Amino acid sequence: RRCVDAQAFIYNGVDIKVTVSVGVSAVPEVGMKEPEELIGAADDALYQAKRQGRNRVISGAAAAKAR
């Protein structure tokens, strides 16, 4: 995430700011039983990262606590 933020991206002579938001989750972290729950927790974390201002990494556990 920091490498992308620090990288210069130039398209047609225009400097473009690029950031990365990531949602991650792990099975023991959130305590899910089905694979779909793991994907859902990571997805929830991704959208929470975007809501908090982009360019962030949020874990599934942090997203679950925020609900």
Side-chain angles (χ1 to χ4, degrees):
R1 178 190 64 77
R2 288 183 183 134
C3 290
V4 171
D5 187 43
Q7 178 66 44
F9 292 92
I10 300 172
Y11 178 74
N12 286 338
V14 177
D15 188 25
I16 300 171
K17 180 71 174 162
V18 177
T19 62
V20 176
S21 295
V22 179
V24 296
S25 191
V27 174
E29 182 178 288
V30 181
M32 69 270 312
K33 296 177 183 173
E34 299 295 326
E36 293 81 10
E37 293 175 283
L38 177 65
I39 295 167
D43 196 49
D44 289 347
L46 169 61
Y47 284 101
Q48 182 178 342
K50 289 182 176 188
R51 282 191 302 273
Q52 288 184 9
R54 301 185 180 264
N55 206 26
R56 299 174 184 273
V57 177
I58 300 291
S59 74
K65 289 177 187 174
R67 282 188 232 159

